[in-house]
Amino acid sequence: MEAKEYYRFLLQRYYAGVATPAEEAELFAELGKQADDEEWVAMLNELHAHTPADPHYHPAEYEPLLQRILQQEPAARVRRLSRVRRWVAAAAVIVLLTAAGGYWLLHTRQAAPAGPVVAAADVQPGKNGAVLTLANGQQVVLDNREDGLISSAQGTQVILKNGQVEYQPSGTGEAVANTLHTPRGRKFRMQLPDGTLVWLNAASALTFPTAFTGTERKVELTGEAYFEVAKGKTPFVVALSNQASVTVLGTHFNISSYADDPGISTTLLEGAVRVDIPEYPSVLKPGQQLLFNKQAGTVALNRQVDTAAVMAWKNGILNFQDKKLTAVIAMIGRWYDIEVTYAGTPPDITFVGEIGSDVNLSSVLNFLKESGVAFRLENRTLIIGKQ
């Protein structure tokens, strides 16, 4: 991305309290070089003005940051902006939890303002956004970017249109690799050069060429994505970790391949796919799901999966159907961009149900509390286990 865009991105992450130590050091090193740059003040004020709508941000950091930019005192001269806490009502939902042979039914209700779980520091849900890395190393932050041309090189135009990245051939040129990365708390949609549509879930990355040439259309995926593959004369191949890959000609399917998950799942909605796992090549039919346990090296075929539950993330739903606590917590951590740790062995709880992914973290954590799960939220770290 351009230098201004990049440092705006770092400033945003620091003000939201999620910058890494390396990002923080880089941000303040640049501030030291350009302390008199009025654009820094404008960027900070813009972030601060959005604080009422985004509790991710840490208003207490405003004055120290502004003083560091301006390098002047006293802090009393800094004008404080009024802030209004915005409560977000959670969607009504029924969730059935099963653990150790017992059952809990969380009855349908209309949620009130943030409850006792995290009343002092709620966390907003994720949203659309991503970082596009071009072949020359330039990074473009797509959060809240206006529609228009992003790049034109190697005979390909990269355009942002209606919240979707599109690759359009504009001439001849050498195909080079680009990567679309969705940080935690973000998801995004794109159209590949062949017309294939891809939805990336949070904490995922897709590497692809700016033009498909040769005997196959190959991309590399980490995390989770849903593909609607455009029909073509050459196979479309999704390369995964553990030497696994999925090959199709034209179809709709979902792949979940997070590094911290115990397995890789491929779910077919339409058409046909071949899943190539060492020693376990399989061809799926619509409605089937193949599960590969990375640790055990075993494969299981679900011949009739609930595809609506699999695709819930794409359709704005957090689906907990038949998921263990650890899987649910991993999902929450990615979408709300919080760290998760366990104090002791996680309880054996299986969830059934779903909730809109547009609700605040407190609405989700209330379900954990009522299920008997002990936890505490410290800043942006969720600690599961007894107090």
mmCIF file with all atom_site columns, all heavy atoms in Angstrom, residues 158-180:
data_model
loop_
_atom_site.group_PDB
_atom_site.id
_atom_site.type_symbol
_atom_site.label_atom_id
_atom_site.label_alt_id
_atom_site.label_comp_id
_atom_site.label_asym_id
_atom_site.label_entity_id
_atom_site.label_seq_id
_atom_site.pdbx_PDB_ins_code
_atom_site.Cartn_x
_atom_site.Cartn_y
_atom_site.Cartn_z
_atom_site.occupancy
_atom_site.B_iso_or_equiv
_atom_site.pdbx_formal_charge
_atom_site.auth_seq_id
_atom_site.auth_comp_id
_atom_site.auth_asym_id
_atom_site.auth_atom_id
_atom_site.pdbx_PDB_model_num
ATOM 1   N N   . VAL A 1 158 ? -6.824  -4.263  -11.359 1.00 0.00 ? 158 VAL A N   1
ATOM 2   C CA  . VAL A 1 158 ? -7.423  -4.685  -10.100 1.00 0.00 ? 158 VAL A CA  1
ATOM 3   C C   . VAL A 1 158 ? -8.368  -3.578  -9.657  1.00 0.00 ? 158 VAL A C   1
ATOM 4   O O   . VAL A 1 158 ? -7.938  -2.438  -9.451  1.00 0.00 ? 158 VAL A O   1
ATOM 5   C CB  . VAL A 1 158 ? -6.354  -4.953  -9.025  1.00 0.00 ? 158 VAL A CB  1
ATOM 6   C CG1 . VAL A 1 158 ? -7.017  -5.517  -7.764  1.00 0.00 ? 158 VAL A CG1 1
ATOM 7   C CG2 . VAL A 1 158 ? -5.295  -5.903  -9.548  1.00 0.00 ? 158 VAL A CG2 1
ATOM 8   N N   . ILE A 1 159 ? -9.635  -3.908  -9.515  1.00 0.00 ? 159 ILE A N   1
ATOM 9   C CA  . ILE A 1 159 ? -10.659 -2.899  -9.252  1.00 0.00 ? 159 ILE A CA  1
ATOM 10  C C   . ILE A 1 159 ? -11.453 -3.278  -8.015  1.00 0.00 ? 159 ILE A C   1
ATOM 11  O O   . ILE A 1 159 ? -11.757 -4.453  -7.793  1.00 0.00 ? 159 ILE A O   1
ATOM 12  C CB  . ILE A 1 159 ? -11.613 -2.782  -10.459 1.00 0.00 ? 159 ILE A CB  1
ATOM 13  C CG1 . ILE A 1 159 ? -10.830 -2.338  -11.708 1.00 0.00 ? 159 ILE A CG1 1
ATOM 14  C CG2 . ILE A 1 159 ? -12.755 -1.811  -10.172 1.00 0.00 ? 159 ILE A CG2 1
ATOM 15  C CD1 . ILE A 1 159 ? -11.650 -2.400  -12.989 1.00 0.00 ? 159 ILE A CD1 1
ATOM 16  N N   . LEU A 1 160 ? -11.774 -2.288  -7.200  1.00 0.00 ? 160 LEU A N   1
ATOM 17  C CA  . LEU A 1 160 ? -12.697 -2.484  -6.087  1.00 0.00 ? 160 LEU A CA  1
ATOM 18  C C   . LEU A 1 160 ? -14.060 -1.969  -6.527  1.00 0.00 ? 160 LEU A C   1
ATOM 19  O O   . LEU A 1 160 ? -14.204 -0.797  -6.891  1.00 0.00 ? 160 LEU A O   1
ATOM 20  C CB  . LEU A 1 160 ? -12.225 -1.738  -4.842  1.00 0.00 ? 160 LEU A CB  1
ATOM 21  C CG  . LEU A 1 160 ? -13.077 -1.958  -3.584  1.00 0.00 ? 160 LEU A CG  1
ATOM 22  C CD1 . LEU A 1 160 ? -13.016 -3.414  -3.148  1.00 0.00 ? 160 LEU A CD1 1
ATOM 23  C CD2 . LEU A 1 160 ? -12.601 -1.059  -2.443  1.00 0.00 ? 160 LEU A CD2 1
ATOM 24  N N   . LYS A 1 161 ? -15.048 -2.858  -6.510  1.00 0.00 ? 161 LYS A N   1
ATOM 25  C CA  . LYS A 1 161 ? -16.379 -2.503  -6.992  1.00 0.00 ? 161 LYS A CA  1
ATOM 26  C C   . LYS A 1 161 ? -17.426 -3.104  -6.078  1.00 0.00 ? 161 LYS A C   1
ATOM 27  O O   . LYS A 1 161 ? -17.502 -4.320  -5.918  1.00 0.00 ? 161 LYS A O   1
ATOM 28  C CB  . LYS A 1 161 ? -16.564 -3.020  -8.429  1.00 0.00 ? 161 LYS A CB  1
ATOM 29  C CG  . LYS A 1 161 ? -17.903 -2.677  -9.073  1.00 0.00 ? 161 LYS A CG  1
ATOM 30  C CD  . LYS A 1 161 ? -17.963 -3.211  -10.483 1.00 0.00 ? 161 LYS A CD  1
ATOM 31  C CE  . LYS A 1 161 ? -19.274 -2.911  -11.154 1.00 0.00 ? 161 LYS A CE  1
ATOM 32  N NZ  . LYS A 1 161 ? -19.333 -3.461  -12.541 1.00 0.00 ? 161 LYS A NZ  1
ATOM 33  N N   . ASN A 1 162 ? -18.224 -2.236  -5.454  1.00 0.00 ? 162 ASN A N   1
ATOM 34  C CA  . ASN A 1 162 ? -19.303 -2.675  -4.560  1.00 0.00 ? 162 ASN A CA  1
ATOM 35  C C   . ASN A 1 162 ? -18.802 -3.617  -3.474  1.00 0.00 ? 162 ASN A C   1
ATOM 36  O O   . ASN A 1 162 ? -19.418 -4.655  -3.180  1.00 0.00 ? 162 ASN A O   1
ATOM 37  C CB  . ASN A 1 162 ? -20.425 -3.343  -5.364  1.00 0.00 ? 162 ASN A CB  1
ATOM 38  C CG  . ASN A 1 162 ? -21.078 -2.399  -6.357  1.00 0.00 ? 162 ASN A CG  1
ATOM 39  O OD1 . ASN A 1 162 ? -21.205 -1.206  -6.100  1.00 0.00 ? 162 ASN A OD1 1
ATOM 40  N ND2 . ASN A 1 162 ? -21.481 -2.926  -7.505  1.00 0.00 ? 162 ASN A ND2 1
ATOM 41  N N   . GLY A 1 163 ? -17.652 -3.272  -2.885  1.00 0.00 ? 163 GLY A N   1
ATOM 42  C CA  . GLY A 1 163 ? -17.123 -4.072  -1.795  1.00 0.00 ? 163 GLY A CA  1
ATOM 43  C C   . GLY A 1 163 ? -16.499 -5.378  -2.218  1.00 0.00 ? 163 GLY A C   1
ATOM 44  O O   . GLY A 1 163 ? -16.293 -6.263  -1.388  1.00 0.00 ? 163 GLY A O   1
ATOM 45  N N   . GLN A 1 164 ? -16.173 -5.531  -3.497  1.00 0.00 ? 164 GLN A N   1
ATOM 46  C CA  . GLN A 1 164 ? -15.572 -6.760  -4.010  1.00 0.00 ? 164 GLN A CA  1
ATOM 47  C C   . GLN A 1 164 ? -14.364 -6.421  -4.870  1.00 0.00 ? 164 GLN A C   1
ATOM 48  O O   . GLN A 1 164 ? -14.404 -5.510  -5.700  1.00 0.00 ? 164 GLN A O   1
ATOM 49  C CB  . GLN A 1 164 ? -16.599 -7.531  -4.849  1.00 0.00 ? 164 GLN A CB  1
ATOM 50  C CG  . GLN A 1 164 ? -16.044 -8.738  -5.589  1.00 0.00 ? 164 GLN A CG  1
ATOM 51  C CD  . GLN A 1 164 ? -17.104 -9.492  -6.355  1.00 0.00 ? 164 GLN A CD  1
ATOM 52  O OE1 . GLN A 1 164 ? -17.967 -10.121 -5.775  1.00 0.00 ? 164 GLN A OE1 1
ATOM 53  N NE2 . GLN A 1 164 ? -17.062 -9.425  -7.682  1.00 0.00 ? 164 GLN A NE2 1
ATOM 54  N N   . VAL A 1 165 ? -13.269 -7.151  -4.677  1.00 0.00 ? 165 VAL A N   1
ATOM 55  C CA  . VAL A 1 165 ? -12.088 -6.992  -5.529  1.00 0.00 ? 165 VAL A CA  1
ATOM 56  C C   . VAL A 1 165 ? -12.291 -7.814  -6.792  1.00 0.00 ? 165 VAL A C   1
ATOM 57  O O   . VAL A 1 165 ? -12.670 -8.977  -6.731  1.00 0.00 ? 165 VAL A O   1
ATOM 58  C CB  . VAL A 1 165 ? -10.808 -7.452  -4.799  1.00 0.00 ? 165 VAL A CB  1
ATOM 59  C CG1 . VAL A 1 165 ? -9.648  -7.558  -5.776  1.00 0.00 ? 165 VAL A CG1 1
ATOM 60  C CG2 . VAL A 1 165 ? -10.461 -6.470  -3.701  1.00 0.00 ? 165 VAL A CG2 1
ATOM 61  N N   . GLU A 1 166 ? -12.031 -7.201  -7.935  1.00 0.00 ? 166 GLU A N   1
ATOM 62  C CA  . GLU A 1 166 ? -12.177 -7.890  -9.212  1.00 0.00 ? 166 GLU A CA  1
ATOM 63  C C   . GLU A 1 166 ? -10.897 -7.758  -10.025 1.00 0.00 ? 166 GLU A C   1
ATOM 64  O O   . GLU A 1 166 ? -10.290 -6.690  -10.069 1.00 0.00 ? 166 GLU A O   1
ATOM 65  C CB  . GLU A 1 166 ? -13.356 -7.306  -10.013 1.00 0.00 ? 166 GLU A CB  1
ATOM 66  C CG  . GLU A 1 166 ? -14.702 -7.464  -9.329  1.00 0.00 ? 166 GLU A CG  1
ATOM 67  C CD  . GLU A 1 166 ? -15.849 -6.941  -10.167 1.00 0.00 ? 166 GLU A CD  1
ATOM 68  O OE1 . GLU A 1 166 ? -15.589 -6.476  -11.318 1.00 0.00 ? 166 GLU A OE1 1
ATOM 69  O OE2 . GLU A 1 166 ? -17.002 -6.985  -9.692  1.00 0.00 ? 166 GLU A OE2 1
ATOM 70  N N   . TYR A 1 167 ? -10.496 -8.853  -10.676 1.00 0.00 ? 167 TYR A N   1
ATOM 71  C CA  . TYR A 1 167 ? -9.340  -8.869  -11.564 1.00 0.00 ? 167 TYR A CA  1
ATOM 72  C C   . TYR A 1 167 ? -9.846  -8.933  -12.998 1.00 0.00 ? 167 TYR A C   1
ATOM 73  O O   . TYR A 1 167 ? -10.564 -9.863  -13.372 1.00 0.00 ? 167 TYR A O   1
ATOM 74  C CB  . TYR A 1 167 ? -8.446  -10.063 -11.246 1.00 0.00 ? 167 TYR A CB  1
ATOM 75  C CG  . TYR A 1 167 ? -7.517  -9.806  -10.084 1.00 0.00 ? 167 TYR A CG  1
ATOM 76  C CD1 . TYR A 1 167 ? -8.019  -9.706  -8.788  1.00 0.00 ? 167 TYR A CD1 1
ATOM 77  C CD2 . TYR A 1 167 ? -6.155  -9.630  -10.274 1.00 0.00 ? 167 TYR A CD2 1
ATOM 78  C CE1 . TYR A 1 167 ? -7.177  -9.443  -7.709  1.00 0.00 ? 167 TYR A CE1 1
ATOM 79  C CE2 . TYR A 1 167 ? -5.304  -9.367  -9.208  1.00 0.00 ? 167 TYR A CE2 1
ATOM 80  C CZ  . TYR A 1 167 ? -5.825  -9.277  -7.926  1.00 0.00 ? 167 TYR A CZ  1
ATOM 81  O OH  . TYR A 1 167 ? -4.988  -9.005  -6.875  1.00 0.00 ? 167 TYR A OH  1
ATOM 82  N N   . GLN A 1 168 ? -9.469  -7.926  -13.802 1.00 0.00 ? 168 GLN A N   1
ATOM 83  C CA  . GLN A 1 168 ? -9.946  -7.843  -15.173 1.00 0.00 ? 168 GLN A CA  1
ATOM 84  C C   . GLN A 1 168 ? -8.768  -7.725  -16.129 1.00 0.00 ? 168 GLN A C   1
ATOM 85  O O   . GLN A 1 168 ? -7.943  -6.808  -15.989 1.00 0.00 ? 168 GLN A O   1
ATOM 86  C CB  . GLN A 1 168 ? -10.872 -6.628  -15.336 1.00 0.00 ? 168 GLN A CB  1
ATOM 87  C CG  . GLN A 1 168 ? -12.094 -6.653  -14.427 1.00 0.00 ? 168 GLN A CG  1
ATOM 88  C CD  . GLN A 1 168 ? -12.961 -5.424  -14.570 1.00 0.00 ? 168 GLN A CD  1
ATOM 89  O OE1 . GLN A 1 168 ? -12.634 -4.502  -15.319 1.00 0.00 ? 168 GLN A OE1 1
ATOM 90  N NE2 . GLN A 1 168 ? -14.077 -5.404  -13.851 1.00 0.00 ? 168 GLN A NE2 1
ATOM 91  N N   . PRO A 1 169 ? -8.646  -8.630  -17.108 1.00 0.00 ? 169 PRO A N   1
ATOM 92  C CA  . PRO A 1 169 ? -7.564  -8.535  -18.092 1.00 0.00 ? 169 PRO A CA  1
ATOM 93  C C   . PRO A 1 169 ? -7.650  -7.226  -18.862 1.00 0.00 ? 169 PRO A C   1
ATOM 94  O O   . PRO A 1 169 ? -8.734  -6.814  -19.290 1.00 0.00 ? 169 PRO A O   1
ATOM 95  C CB  . PRO A 1 169 ? -7.804  -9.744  -18.998 1.00 0.00 ? 169 PRO A CB  1
ATOM 96  C CG  . PRO A 1 169 ? -8.644  -10.676 -18.178 1.00 0.00 ? 169 PRO A CG  1
ATOM 97  C CD  . PRO A 1 169 ? -9.496  -9.799  -17.318 1.00 0.00 ? 169 PRO A CD  1
ATOM 98  N N   . SER A 1 170 ? -6.505  -6.560  -19.039 1.00 0.00 ? 170 SER A N   1
ATOM 99  C CA  . SER A 1 170 ? -6.482  -5.294  -19.782 1.00 0.00 ? 170 SER A CA  1
ATOM 100 C C   . SER A 1 170 ? -5.459  -5.327  -20.908 1.00 0.00 ? 170 SER A C   1
ATOM 101 O O   . SER A 1 170 ? -5.186  -4.316  -21.528 1.00 0.00 ? 170 SER A O   1
ATOM 102 C CB  . SER A 1 170 ? -6.163  -4.132  -18.834 1.00 0.00 ? 170 SER A CB  1
ATOM 103 O OG  . SER A 1 170 ? -4.899  -4.321  -18.223 1.00 0.00 ? 170 SER A OG  1
ATOM 104 N N   . GLY A 1 171 ? -4.858  -6.490  -21.153 1.00 0.00 ? 171 GLY A N   1
ATOM 105 C CA  . GLY A 1 171 ? -3.841  -6.604  -22.191 1.00 0.00 ? 171 GLY A CA  1
ATOM 106 C C   . GLY A 1 171 ? -3.046  -7.869  -21.963 1.00 0.00 ? 171 GLY A C   1
ATOM 107 O O   . GLY A 1 171 ? -3.521  -8.824  -21.353 1.00 0.00 ? 171 GLY A O   1
ATOM 108 N N   . THR A 1 172 ? -1.840  -7.877  -22.445 1.00 0.00 ? 172 THR A N   1
ATOM 109 C CA  . THR A 1 172 ? -0.963  -9.029  -22.255 1.00 0.00 ? 172 THR A CA  1
ATOM 110 C C   . THR A 1 172 ? 0.118   -8.690  -21.246 1.00 0.00 ? 172 THR A C   1
ATOM 111 O O   . THR A 1 172 ? 0.551   -7.550  -21.130 1.00 0.00 ? 172 THR A O   1
ATOM 112 C CB  . THR A 1 172 ? -0.309  -9.433  -23.586 1.00 0.00 ? 172 THR A CB  1
ATOM 113 O OG1 . THR A 1 172 ? 0.441   -8.315  -24.094 1.00 0.00 ? 172 THR A OG1 1
ATOM 114 C CG2 . THR A 1 172 ? -1.362  -9.853  -24.587 1.00 0.00 ? 172 THR A CG2 1
ATOM 115 N N   . GLY A 1 173 ? 0.529   -9.669  -20.519 1.00 0.00 ? 173 GLY A N   1
ATOM 116 C CA  . GLY A 1 173 ? 1.581   -9.460  -19.523 1.00 0.00 ? 173 GLY A CA  1
ATOM 117 C C   . GLY A 1 173 ? 1.838   -10.738 -18.774 1.00 0.00 ? 173 GLY A C   1
ATOM 118 O O   . GLY A 1 173 ? 1.056   -11.698 -18.834 1.00 0.00 ? 173 GLY A O   1
ATOM 119 N N   . GLU A 1 174 ? 2.925   -10.771 -18.046 1.00 0.00 ? 174 GLU A N   1
ATOM 120 C CA  . GLU A 1 174 ? 3.295   -11.959 -17.284 1.00 0.00 ? 174 GLU A CA  1
ATOM 121 C C   . GLU A 1 174 ? 2.405   -12.100 -16.056 1.00 0.00 ? 174 GLU A C   1
ATOM 122 O O   . GLU A 1 174 ? 2.132   -11.129 -15.345 1.00 0.00 ? 174 GLU A O   1
ATOM 123 C CB  . GLU A 1 174 ? 4.758   -11.853 -16.851 1.00 0.00 ? 174 GLU A CB  1
ATOM 124 C CG  . GLU A 1 174 ? 5.247   -13.036 -16.035 1.00 0.00 ? 174 GLU A CG  1
ATOM 125 C CD  . GLU A 1 174 ? 6.667   -12.851 -15.554 1.00 0.00 ? 174 GLU A CD  1
ATOM 126 O OE1 . GLU A 1 174 ? 7.256   -11.792 -15.874 1.00 0.00 ? 174 GLU A OE1 1
ATOM 127 O OE2 . GLU A 1 174 ? 7.179   -13.745 -14.858 1.00 0.00 ? 174 GLU A OE2 1
ATOM 128 N N   . ALA A 1 175 ? 1.924   -13.309 -15.807 1.00 0.00 ? 175 ALA A N   1
ATOM 129 C CA  . ALA A 1 175 ? 1.109   -13.571 -14.618 1.00 0.00 ? 175 ALA A CA  1
ATOM 130 C C   . ALA A 1 175 ? 1.999   -13.574 -13.383 1.00 0.00 ? 175 ALA A C   1
ATOM 131 O O   . ALA A 1 175 ? 3.042   -14.231 -13.356 1.00 0.00 ? 175 ALA A O   1
ATOM 132 C CB  . ALA A 1 175 ? 0.393   -14.904 -14.754 1.00 0.00 ? 175 ALA A CB  1
ATOM 133 N N   . VAL A 1 176 ? 1.594   -12.835 -12.364 1.00 0.00 ? 176 VAL A N   1
ATOM 134 C CA  . VAL A 1 176 ? 2.341   -12.773 -11.108 1.00 0.00 ? 176 VAL A CA  1
ATOM 135 C C   . VAL A 1 176 ? 1.390   -13.080 -9.962  1.00 0.00 ? 176 VAL A C   1
ATOM 136 O O   . VAL A 1 176 ? 0.173   -13.019 -10.109 1.00 0.00 ? 176 VAL A O   1
ATOM 137 C CB  . VAL A 1 176 ? 3.000   -11.386 -10.913 1.00 0.00 ? 176 VAL A CB  1
ATOM 138 C CG1 . VAL A 1 176 ? 4.097   -11.156 -11.943 1.00 0.00 ? 176 VAL A CG1 1
ATOM 139 C CG2 . VAL A 1 176 ? 1.945   -10.285 -10.980 1.00 0.00 ? 176 VAL A CG2 1
ATOM 140 N N   . ALA A 1 177 ? 1.954   -13.396 -8.819  1.00 0.00 ? 177 ALA A N   1
ATOM 141 C CA  . ALA A 1 177 ? 1.137   -13.811 -7.673  1.00 0.00 ? 177 ALA A CA  1
ATOM 142 C C   . ALA A 1 177 ? 0.698   -12.618 -6.829  1.00 0.00 ? 177 ALA A C   1
ATOM 143 O O   . ALA A 1 177 ? 1.484   -11.709 -6.559  1.00 0.00 ? 177 ALA A O   1
ATOM 144 C CB  . ALA A 1 177 ? 1.910   -14.802 -6.808  1.00 0.00 ? 177 ALA A CB  1
ATOM 145 N N   . ASN A 1 178 ? -0.560  -12.628 -6.437  1.00 0.00 ? 178 ASN A N   1
ATOM 146 C CA  . ASN A 1 178 ? -1.119  -11.678 -5.469  1.00 0.00 ? 178 ASN A CA  1
ATOM 147 C C   . ASN A 1 178 ? -1.697  -12.477 -4.307  1.00 0.00 ? 178 ASN A C   1
ATOM 148 O O   . ASN A 1 178 ? -2.013  -13.667 -4.452  1.00 0.00 ? 178 ASN A O   1
ATOM 149 C CB  . ASN A 1 178 ? -2.218  -10.826 -6.094  1.00 0.00 ? 178 ASN A CB  1
ATOM 150 C CG  . ASN A 1 178 ? -1.699  -9.731  -7.019  1.00 0.00 ? 178 ASN A CG  1
ATOM 151 O OD1 . ASN A 1 178 ? -2.454  -8.888  -7.475  1.00 0.00 ? 178 ASN A OD1 1
ATOM 152 N ND2 . ASN A 1 178 ? -0.412  -9.749  -7.342  1.00 0.00 ? 178 ASN A ND2 1
ATOM 153 N N   . THR A 1 179 ? -1.871  -11.825 -3.158  1.00 0.00 ? 179 THR A N   1
ATOM 154 C CA  . THR A 1 179 ? -2.467  -12.478 -1.993  1.00 0.00 ? 179 THR A CA  1
ATOM 155 C C   . THR A 1 179 ? -3.512  -11.576 -1.360  1.00 0.00 ? 179 THR A C   1
ATOM 156 O O   . THR A 1 179 ? -3.244  -10.397 -1.104  1.00 0.00 ? 179 THR A O   1
ATOM 157 C CB  . THR A 1 179 ? -1.401  -12.834 -0.939  1.00 0.00 ? 179 THR A CB  1
ATOM 158 O OG1 . THR A 1 179 ? -0.468  -13.764 -1.499  1.00 0.00 ? 179 THR A OG1 1
ATOM 159 C CG2 . THR A 1 179 ? -2.042  -13.470 0.295   1.00 0.00 ? 179 THR A CG2 1
ATOM 160 N N   . LEU A 1 180 ? -4.685  -12.139 -1.130  1.00 0.00 ? 180 LEU A N   1
ATOM 161 C CA  . LEU A 1 180 ? -5.733  -11.442 -0.381  1.00 0.00 ? 180 LEU A CA  1
ATOM 162 C C   . LEU A 1 180 ? -5.794  -12.059 1.006   1.00 0.00 ? 180 LEU A C   1
ATOM 163 O O   . LEU A 1 180 ? -5.999  -13.270 1.140   1.00 0.00 ? 180 LEU A O   1
ATOM 164 C CB  . LEU A 1 180 ? -7.085  -11.564 -1.075  1.00 0.00 ? 180 LEU A CB  1
ATOM 165 C CG  . LEU A 1 180 ? -8.219  -10.756 -0.439  1.00 0.00 ? 180 LEU A CG  1
ATOM 166 C CD1 . LEU A 1 180 ? -7.990  -9.262  -0.659  1.00 0.00 ? 180 LEU A CD1 1
ATOM 167 C CD2 . LEU A 1 180 ? -9.578  -11.163 -1.016  1.00 0.00 ? 180 LEU A CD2 1
#
